[in-house]
């Protein structure tokens, strides 16, 4: 099913900081723009309590997300961008156009596309260093507040939200046991000075359900191959993230989508590009740059009017 209404200059998938920056840049270049967003404008910003590395004196992600909502409302009011609230499943590049397919089968067409769908959360089954029963589904660290912590709490993984979470609760006292696989050691080093953390470097973790007392048994194999078992009812997920690639994108070995590997009419912005540059400021910069590079490539059917 093709939707002729959607035929536009640039389709942008994902309205986090990457996609919204792309939409603002496209509007400034007089490009007709359609933004496709599955959930909330602002993306991950809506979940970040404390921010300290974004220019403009922003102190929280939610504050910045509210400003982006206002930016987009203004663009939409001026008919310089429209928003489709839907989930995209695939993107395809052709000589003269791109197509983005939504979950209901609708096919949107445009001269070009910017995909900024970010990353999703890992669970234990996605790791090579941990095992757990199928029903093991701990809450995320970053959706938990220190007041929710009861008794000894283990955090699985030392991904970067840990640092943000510690800064968000800088004045709070608590104690967390952070289980750190080898791949997260460099991230644990960034927060190792915080005396509210007890860092546990591990090679392997096996989680099983216990019939009595605390429900989870966490068997940890350390670097010295010694095994230690802890019993607890409190485990939090901080394992990290995996790319939310659309079908049709070219992916690298880690599942990321470097923009230079894509069709000439498709650019990738934000966290989806690489595990290395996952920051708000780089998402915004890459979103704006994606649109500029499409514009200056002078591709047919982008920005030309009768
Ligand atoms: C807890 C936490 C704390 C953080 N703290 C900081 C910090 O302090 N400083 C910092 O610089 N960075 C921080 N980050 C990282 C930062 O949030 C990301 O780098 C940034 O949000 C990436 O922007 P993005 O636009 O690439 O993706 P996202 O913000 O993830 O936005 C992607 C958007 O795409 C939408 N989407 C996904 N799939 C589809 C689909 N198939 N169809 C349609 N829409 C789709 C999503 O709903 C979402 O709105 C933090 C991240 C987390 C999780």
């Amino acid at each position: 099913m093709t939707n002729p209404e959607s035929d536009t200059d640039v389709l942008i998938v994902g309205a986090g900081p990457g996609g919204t920056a792309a939409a603002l840049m496209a509007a400034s270049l007089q490009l007709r723009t359609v933004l496709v967003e599955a959930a909330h404008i602002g993306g991950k910003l809506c979940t970040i309590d404390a921010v300290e590395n974004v220019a403009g004196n922003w102190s929280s992600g939610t504050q910045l997300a509210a400003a982006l909502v206002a930016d987009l409302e203004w663009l939409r009011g001026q008919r310089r961008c429209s928003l489709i609230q839907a989930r995209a499943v695939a993107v395809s590049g052709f000589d003269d156009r791109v197509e983005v397919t939504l979950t209901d089968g609708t096919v949107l067409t445009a001269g070009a596309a910017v995909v900024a769908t970010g990353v999703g959360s890992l669970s234990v089954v996605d790791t090579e260093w941990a095992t757990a029963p199928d029903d093991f589904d701990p809450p995320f660290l970053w959706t938990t507040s220190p007041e929710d912590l009861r008794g000894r709490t283990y955090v699985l993984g030392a991904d970067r939200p840990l640092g943000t979470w510690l800064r968000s609760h800088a004045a709070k006292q608590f104690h967390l046991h952070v289980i750190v696989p080898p791949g997260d050691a460099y991230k644990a080093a960034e927060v190792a000075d915080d005396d509210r953390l007890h860092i546990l470097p591990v090679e392997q973790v096996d989680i099983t359900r216990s019939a009595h007392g605390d429900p989870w048994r966490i068997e940890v194999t350390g670097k010295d191959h010694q095994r230690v078992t802890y019993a607890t009812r409190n485990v939090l997920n901080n394992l990290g993230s995996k790319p939310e690639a659309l079908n049709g994108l070219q992916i690298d070995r880690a599942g990321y989508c470097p923009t230079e590997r894509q069709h000439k009419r498709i650019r990738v912005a934000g966290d989806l590009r690489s595990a290395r540059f996952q920051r708000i400021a780089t998402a915004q910069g890459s979103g704006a740059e994606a649109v500029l590079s499409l514009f200056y490539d002078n591709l047919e059917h982008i920005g030309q009017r009768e």
Side-chain angles (χ1 to χ4, degrees):
M1 161 169 51
T2 300
N3 179 358
E5 301 247 323
S6 68
D7 195 16
T8 190
D9 288 320
V10 189
L11 272 167
I12 299 169
V13 187
T20 49
L24 283 160
M25 183 57 77
S28 79
L29 297 168
Q30 314 303 322
L31 299 176
R32 294 169 304 152
T33 307
V34 174
L35 187 55
V36 179
E37 168 55 49
H40 314 287
I41 292 168
K44 297 252 168 15
L45 296 180
C46 305
T47 62
I48 304 176
D49 292 334
V51 164
E52 61 175 18
N53 56 359
V54 184
N57 198 27
W58 300 103
S59 56
S60 79
T62 47
Q63 212 182 38
L64 177 52
L68 296 181
V69 169
D71 283 343
L72 285 180
E73 269 172 15
W74 179 74
L75 285 184
R76 289 168 69 198
Q78 298 210 332
R79 299 184 180 281
R80 295 165 73 191
C81 173
S82 42
L83 176 69
I84 296 179
Q85 199 75 57
R87 179 167 290 279
V89 287
V91 60
S92 313
F94 300 91
D95 280 350
D96 59 345
R97 68 188 190 287
V98 292
E99 291 183 358
V100 168
T101 307
L102 308 181
T103 44
D104 68 357
T106 301
V107 178
L108 309 174
T109 59
V114 176
V115 183
T117 46
V119 292
S121 299
L122 289 173
S123 54
V124 166
V125 286
D126 300 307
T127 73
E128 288 176 354
W129 56 272
T131 63
D134 289 346
D135 63 346
F136 179 74
D137 186 20
F140 295 107
L141 167 72
W142 41 279
T143 59
T144 306
S145 74
E147 290 75 24
D148 299 334
L149 303 177
R150 300 271 179 275
R152 188 181 263 234
T153 302
Y154 291 86
V155 177
L156 276 181
D159 198 43
R160 291 242 166 63
L162 179 58
T164 307
W165 194 84
L166 293 168
R167 278 199 303 281
S168 312
H169 305 294
K172 300 271 167 63
Q173 278 310 314
F174 48 80
H175 207 66
L176 290 179
H177 296 255
V178 185
I179 296 175
V180 183
D184 279 2
Y186 70 101
K187 298 178 197 165
E190 294 171 11
V191 290
D193 287 347
D194 195 311
D195 57 15
R196 296 170 296 177
L197 302 183
H198 178 63
I199 305 279
L200 288 167
V202 302
E203 294 291 318
Q204 171 75 28
V205 174
D206 297 294
I207 298 167
T208 49
R209 191 176 265 290
S210 166
H212 330 276
D214 290 327
W216 301 114
R217 293 272 176 279
I218 304 180
E219 185 179 291
V220 165
T221 309
K223 292 196 161 200
D224 50 6
H225 304 294
Q226 294 266 345
R227 290 181 173 211
V228 183
T229 301
Y230 307 102
T232 185
R233 59 181 53 251
N234 307 305
V235 187
L236 297 172
N237 178 347
N238 188 43
L239 291 167
S241 46
K242 58 183 173 190
E244 293 272 9
L246 299 184
N247 291 329
L249 288 174
Q250 298 300 312
I251 60 173
D252 66 15
R253 285 167 65 185
Y256 286 93
C257 307
T259 209
E260 62 277 9
R261 289 216 193 166
Q262 310 306 322
H263 186 274
K264 65 179 180 182
R265 291 181 180 274
I266 300 174
R267 303 289 141 95
V268 176
D271 284 4
L272 184 62
R273 292 168 302 154
S274 148
R276 288 189 168 187
F277 309 119
Q278 297 188 343
R279 295 290 190 281
I280 298 161
T282 53
Q284 291 178 311
S286 62
E289 197 170 301
V291 170
L292 283 172
S293 67
L294 285 167
F295 185 73
Y296 287 116
D297 277 356
N298 283 320
L299 295 167
E300 210 187 338
H301 305 301
I302 302 177
Q304 289 111 5
R305 305 274 191 284
E306 294 294 304

